[in-house]
Amino acid sequence: QVQLVESGGGLVQAGGSLRLSCTASGRTFSRYGMGWFRQPPGKERECLAAVDWSGGATYYTDSVKGRFAVSRDNAKNTVYLQMNSLKPEDTATYYCAANFVGAAYGSADNYNFWGQGTQVTVSS
């Protein structure tokens, strides 16, 4: 069992930046692929970015390419999402997730564990 805890959300003005963190329990974090997702109110959850177990492979959805960056620190059991040039349409609950395979999957169906989420609100 893996427990994931997100942090770093909050209220930011358009054009600003936030860095989300997701810290995992357990000693096997370095084996997991990690993903960042978001779910705006009334909409489906979408994958924004993912990173494989080594940090060497990443995935980004088109809407965040060039603005968001995913990274991980296996020594700290933590994965990060740096978000720059934020827009009001980035407002959502943001979740991190882990998959057993260790890959940078871009689909929620491939993930086994989920955090509780952190709210990001971008004001115009």
Side-chain angles (χ1 to χ4, degrees):
Q1 190 74 10
V2 176
Q3 291 187 324
L4 304 173
V5 179
E6 302 96 338
S7 61
L11 174 64
V12 64
Q13 288 188 333
S17 298
L18 283 175
R19 188 176 80 156
L20 304 183
S21 300
C22 171
T23 301
S25 63
R27 294 176 290 179
T28 57
F29 173 78
S30 62
R31 301 178 186 175
Y32 296 122
M34 300 297 297
W36 282 100
F37 295 75
R38 71 183 175 194
Q39 187 166 20
K43 296 186 178 181
E44 292 186 355
R45 190 172 298 190
E46 65 169 334
C47 184
L48 305 176
V51 60
D52 76 347
W53 66 274
S54 70
T58 56
Y59 162 86
Y60 294 96
T61 194
D62 286 346
S63 62
V64 305
K65 284 180 180 176
R67 298 192 299 128
F68 292 8
V70 61
S71 62
R72 66 189 296 159
D73 185 339
N74 286 342
K76 295 182 178 180
N77 279 18
T78 301
V79 62
Y80 304 97
L81 184 67
Q82 177 67 44
M83 305 188 295
N84 300 323
S85 302
L86 284 163
K87 305 174 182 179
E89 51 263 43
D90 293 317
T91 295
T93 302
Y94 284 66
Y95 301 88
C96 69
N99 72 74
F100 291 135
V101 175
Y105 290 127
S107 172
D109 292 343
N110 296 119
Y111 287 83
N112 307 104
F113 299 107
W114 292 84
Q116 293 300 306
T118 185
Q119 178 67 35
V120 171
T121 303
V122 184
S123 63
S124 57

Short mmCIF file of all heavy atoms in Angstrom, two decimals, residues 32-64:
data_model
loop_
_atom_site.label_atom_id
_atom_site.label_comp_id
_atom_site.label_asym_id
_atom_site.label_seq_id
_atom_site.Cartn_x
_atom_site.Cartn_y
_atom_site.Cartn_z
N TYR A 32 8.04 3.23 -8.69
CA TYR A 32 6.76 3.62 -9.25
C TYR A 32 6.88 4.68 -10.33
O TYR A 32 7.68 5.60 -10.22
CB TYR A 32 5.83 4.15 -8.17
CG TYR A 32 5.46 3.16 -7.12
CD1 TYR A 32 5.72 3.38 -5.78
CD2 TYR A 32 4.83 1.97 -7.47
CE1 TYR A 32 5.37 2.46 -4.82
CE2 TYR A 32 4.48 1.04 -6.51
CZ TYR A 32 4.75 1.29 -5.18
OH TYR A 32 4.41 0.39 -4.23
N GLY A 33 6.04 4.55 -11.35
CA GLY A 33 5.80 5.68 -12.23
C GLY A 33 4.81 6.60 -11.54
O GLY A 33 3.92 6.14 -10.83
N MET A 34 4.98 7.91 -11.75
CA MET A 34 4.16 8.89 -11.06
C MET A 34 3.49 9.81 -12.06
O MET A 34 4.10 10.21 -13.06
CB MET A 34 5.00 9.72 -10.09
CG MET A 34 5.70 8.92 -9.02
SD MET A 34 4.56 8.07 -7.91
CE MET A 34 3.72 9.46 -7.17
N GLY A 35 2.25 10.15 -11.78
CA GLY A 35 1.51 11.05 -12.67
C GLY A 35 0.85 12.18 -11.89
O GLY A 35 0.55 12.03 -10.71
N TRP A 36 0.65 13.28 -12.58
CA TRP A 36 -0.12 14.40 -12.06
C TRP A 36 -1.38 14.56 -12.90
O TRP A 36 -1.31 14.59 -14.14
CB TRP A 36 0.69 15.70 -12.10
CG TRP A 36 1.70 15.82 -11.02
CD1 TRP A 36 3.05 15.59 -11.11
CD2 TRP A 36 1.44 16.22 -9.67
NE1 TRP A 36 3.64 15.82 -9.89
CE2 TRP A 36 2.67 16.20 -8.99
CE3 TRP A 36 0.30 16.59 -8.97
CZ2 TRP A 36 2.79 16.54 -7.64
CZ3 TRP A 36 0.42 16.92 -7.63
CH2 TRP A 36 1.65 16.90 -6.98
N PHE A 37 -2.49 14.68 -12.23
CA PHE A 37 -3.79 14.80 -12.87
C PHE A 37 -4.50 16.03 -12.31
O PHE A 37 -4.14 16.54 -11.24
CB PHE A 37 -4.65 13.56 -12.58
CG PHE A 37 -4.10 12.30 -13.16
CD1 PHE A 37 -3.01 11.66 -12.59
CD2 PHE A 37 -4.67 11.74 -14.29
CE1 PHE A 37 -2.49 10.49 -13.14
CE2 PHE A 37 -4.18 10.57 -14.85
CZ PHE A 37 -3.09 9.95 -14.27
N ARG A 38 -5.53 16.46 -13.00
CA ARG A 38 -6.39 17.49 -12.45
C ARG A 38 -7.83 17.23 -12.86
O ARG A 38 -8.09 16.57 -13.86
CB ARG A 38 -5.97 18.89 -12.89
CG ARG A 38 -6.23 19.22 -14.35
CD ARG A 38 -5.70 20.60 -14.68
NE ARG A 38 -5.84 20.90 -16.10
CZ ARG A 38 -5.22 21.90 -16.69
NH1 ARG A 38 -4.41 22.71 -15.99
NH2 ARG A 38 -5.38 22.13 -17.98
N GLN A 39 -8.73 17.76 -12.05
CA GLN A 39 -10.15 17.61 -12.32
C GLN A 39 -10.85 18.92 -11.99
O GLN A 39 -11.06 19.22 -10.81
CB GLN A 39 -10.75 16.45 -11.52
CG GLN A 39 -12.18 16.15 -11.89
CD GLN A 39 -12.64 14.82 -11.34
OE1 GLN A 39 -12.05 14.28 -10.40
NE2 GLN A 39 -13.68 14.28 -11.93
N PRO A 40 -11.23 19.68 -13.00
CA PRO A 40 -12.02 20.88 -12.76
C PRO A 40 -13.43 20.50 -12.34
O PRO A 40 -13.89 19.38 -12.65
CB PRO A 40 -12.02 21.59 -14.12
CG PRO A 40 -10.93 20.94 -14.90
CD PRO A 40 -10.85 19.53 -14.40
N PRO A 41 -14.16 21.37 -11.68
CA PRO A 41 -15.53 21.05 -11.28
C PRO A 41 -16.39 20.67 -12.47
O PRO A 41 -16.41 21.36 -13.48
CB PRO A 41 -16.01 22.35 -10.64
CG PRO A 41 -14.78 23.06 -10.22
CD PRO A 41 -13.74 22.69 -11.23
N GLY A 42 -17.06 19.54 -12.36
CA GLY A 42 -17.97 19.10 -13.41
C GLY A 42 -17.32 18.52 -14.63
O GLY A 42 -18.00 18.23 -15.62
N LYS A 43 -16.01 18.33 -14.58
CA LYS A 43 -15.31 17.79 -15.74
C LYS A 43 -14.57 16.52 -15.37
O LYS A 43 -14.43 16.18 -14.20
CB LYS A 43 -14.34 18.83 -16.30
CG LYS A 43 -15.02 20.08 -16.83
CD LYS A 43 -14.02 20.99 -17.49
CE LYS A 43 -14.70 22.23 -18.08
NZ LYS A 43 -13.74 23.14 -18.75
N GLU A 44 -14.09 15.83 -16.39
CA GLU A 44 -13.37 14.58 -16.16
C GLU A 44 -11.94 14.85 -15.72
O GLU A 44 -11.38 15.90 -15.98
CB GLU A 44 -13.36 13.75 -17.45
CG GLU A 44 -14.73 13.22 -17.86
CD GLU A 44 -14.66 12.28 -19.03
OE1 GLU A 44 -13.55 12.11 -19.59
OE2 GLU A 44 -15.70 11.70 -19.39
N ARG A 45 -11.39 13.86 -15.04
CA ARG A 45 -10.00 13.94 -14.63
C ARG A 45 -9.10 13.74 -15.85
O ARG A 45 -9.34 12.84 -16.65
CB ARG A 45 -9.72 12.88 -13.57
CG ARG A 45 -8.39 12.99 -12.88
CD ARG A 45 -8.30 12.02 -11.71
NE ARG A 45 -9.30 12.31 -10.69
CZ ARG A 45 -9.31 11.74 -9.49
NH1 ARG A 45 -8.36 10.86 -9.17
NH2 ARG A 45 -10.23 12.04 -8.62
N GLU A 46 -8.07 14.56 -15.96
CA GLU A 46 -7.15 14.43 -17.07
C GLU A 46 -5.72 14.35 -16.56
O GLU A 46 -5.37 14.93 -15.53
CB GLU A 46 -7.27 15.63 -18.05
CG GLU A 46 -6.86 16.96 -17.46
CD GLU A 46 -6.72 18.06 -18.49
OE1 GLU A 46 -6.45 17.76 -19.69
OE2 GLU A 46 -6.85 19.24 -18.12
N CYS A 47 -4.91 13.64 -17.30
CA CYS A 47 -3.49 13.53 -16.97
C CYS A 47 -2.75 14.72 -17.56
O CYS A 47 -2.86 15.01 -18.75
CB CYS A 47 -2.90 12.24 -17.50
SG CYS A 47 -1.17 12.01 -17.03
N LEU A 48 -1.99 15.39 -16.71
CA LEU A 48 -1.21 16.54 -17.15
C LEU A 48 0.23 16.15 -17.48
O LEU A 48 0.78 16.59 -18.48
CB LEU A 48 -1.17 17.60 -16.05
CG LEU A 48 -2.51 18.08 -15.53
CD1 LEU A 48 -2.28 19.04 -14.37
CD2 LEU A 48 -3.31 18.72 -16.63
N ALA A 49 0.80 15.35 -16.61
CA ALA A 49 2.21 15.02 -16.75
C ALA A 49 2.50 13.74 -16.00
O ALA A 49 1.77 13.38 -15.06
CB ALA A 49 3.07 16.15 -16.18
N ALA A 50 3.53 13.05 -16.43
CA ALA A 50 3.93 11.82 -15.76
C ALA A 50 5.43 11.65 -15.91
O ALA A 50 6.05 12.19 -16.84
CB ALA A 50 3.18 10.62 -16.33
N VAL A 51 5.99 10.86 -14.99
CA VAL A 51 7.43 10.61 -15.03
C VAL A 51 7.65 9.14 -14.66
O VAL A 51 6.96 8.59 -13.80
CB VAL A 51 8.18 11.56 -14.06
CG1 VAL A 51 7.71 11.40 -12.62
CG2 VAL A 51 9.68 11.41 -14.18
N ASP A 52 8.62 8.52 -15.32
CA ASP A 52 8.87 7.11 -15.03
C ASP A 52 9.70 6.97 -13.76
O ASP A 52 10.07 7.96 -13.13
CB ASP A 52 9.51 6.42 -16.23
CG ASP A 52 10.99 6.74 -16.40
OD1 ASP A 52 11.49 7.69 -15.76
OD2 ASP A 52 11.66 6.04 -17.18
N TRP A 53 9.99 5.74 -13.37
CA TRP A 53 10.63 5.47 -12.09
C TRP A 53 11.98 6.16 -11.96
O TRP A 53 12.38 6.56 -10.87
CB TRP A 53 10.82 3.96 -11.92
CG TRP A 53 11.78 3.37 -12.91
CD1 TRP A 53 11.51 2.94 -14.16
CD2 TRP A 53 13.20 3.19 -12.71
NE1 TRP A 53 12.65 2.50 -14.78
CE2 TRP A 53 13.70 2.63 -13.91
CE3 TRP A 53 14.06 3.43 -11.65
CZ2 TRP A 53 15.05 2.32 -14.06
CZ3 TRP A 53 15.40 3.12 -11.80
CH2 TRP A 53 15.88 2.58 -13.00
N SER A 54 12.70 6.33 -13.08
CA SER A 54 14.05 6.87 -13.04
C SER A 54 14.08 8.39 -13.21
O SER A 54 15.12 9.01 -12.97
CB SER A 54 14.89 6.24 -14.15
OG SER A 54 14.46 6.71 -15.42
N GLY A 55 12.98 8.94 -13.66
CA GLY A 55 12.98 10.36 -14.00
C GLY A 55 13.45 10.62 -15.41
O GLY A 55 13.49 11.77 -15.85
N GLY A 56 13.79 9.58 -16.13
CA GLY A 56 14.35 9.74 -17.46
C GLY A 56 13.33 9.86 -18.57
O GLY A 56 13.68 10.27 -19.69
N ALA A 57 12.11 9.50 -18.32
CA ALA A 57 11.06 9.60 -19.34
C ALA A 57 9.88 10.35 -18.75
O ALA A 57 9.49 10.13 -17.61
CB ALA A 57 10.61 8.21 -19.78
N THR A 58 9.33 11.24 -19.55
CA THR A 58 8.21 12.05 -19.10
C THR A 58 7.11 12.09 -20.16
O THR A 58 7.34 11.78 -21.34
CB THR A 58 8.63 13.49 -18.78
OG1 THR A 58 9.25 14.06 -19.95
CG2 THR A 58 9.59 13.55 -17.60
N TYR A 59 5.94 12.46 -19.70
CA TYR A 59 4.79 12.65 -20.57
C TYR A 59 4.13 13.97 -20.18
O TYR A 59 4.05 14.29 -18.99
CB TYR A 59 3.79 11.50 -20.38
CG TYR A 59 2.40 11.82 -20.89
CD1 TYR A 59 2.06 11.62 -22.21
CD2 TYR A 59 1.45 12.38 -20.04
CE1 TYR A 59 0.79 11.93 -22.68
CE2 TYR A 59 0.19 12.71 -20.48
CZ TYR A 59 -0.14 12.49 -21.81
OH TYR A 59 -1.39 12.81 -22.27
N TYR A 60 3.67 14.71 -21.19
CA TYR A 60 2.90 15.92 -20.95
C TYR A 60 1.73 15.98 -21.91
O TYR A 60 1.86 15.65 -23.10
CB TYR A 60 3.75 17.18 -21.18
CG TYR A 60 4.88 17.36 -20.20
CD1 TYR A 60 6.17 16.94 -20.51
CD2 TYR A 60 4.65 17.95 -18.96
CE1 TYR A 60 7.20 17.10 -19.60
CE2 TYR A 60 5.68 18.10 -18.05
CZ TYR A 60 6.95 17.68 -18.37
OH TYR A 60 7.97 17.84 -17.46
N THR A 61 0.59 16.41 -21.41
CA THR A 61 -0.51 16.67 -22.30
C THR A 61 -0.25 18.01 -23.00
O THR A 61 0.47 18.88 -22.48
CB THR A 61 -1.84 16.68 -21.54
OG1 THR A 61 -2.91 16.62 -22.46
CG2 THR A 61 -1.98 17.92 -20.66
N ASP A 62 -0.84 18.18 -24.18
CA ASP A 62 -0.50 19.34 -25.01
C ASP A 62 -0.78 20.67 -24.31
O ASP A 62 -0.02 21.64 -24.49
CB ASP A 62 -1.29 19.29 -26.33
CG ASP A 62 -0.75 18.25 -27.28
OD1 ASP A 62 0.37 17.75 -27.06
OD2 ASP A 62 -1.45 17.93 -28.26
N SER A 63 -1.81 20.73 -23.50
CA SER A 63 -2.22 22.01 -22.93
C SER A 63 -1.24 22.56 -21.90
O SER A 63 -1.31 23.74 -21.55
CB SER A 63 -3.60 21.88 -22.29
OG SER A 63 -3.58 20.96 -21.23
N VAL A 64 -0.31 21.72 -21.42
CA VAL A 64 0.63 22.20 -20.40
C VAL A 64 2.08 22.15 -20.88
O VAL A 64 2.98 22.58 -20.15
CB VAL A 64 0.51 21.40 -19.09
CG1 VAL A 64 -0.93 21.43 -18.59
CG2 VAL A 64 1.01 19.98 -19.24
#
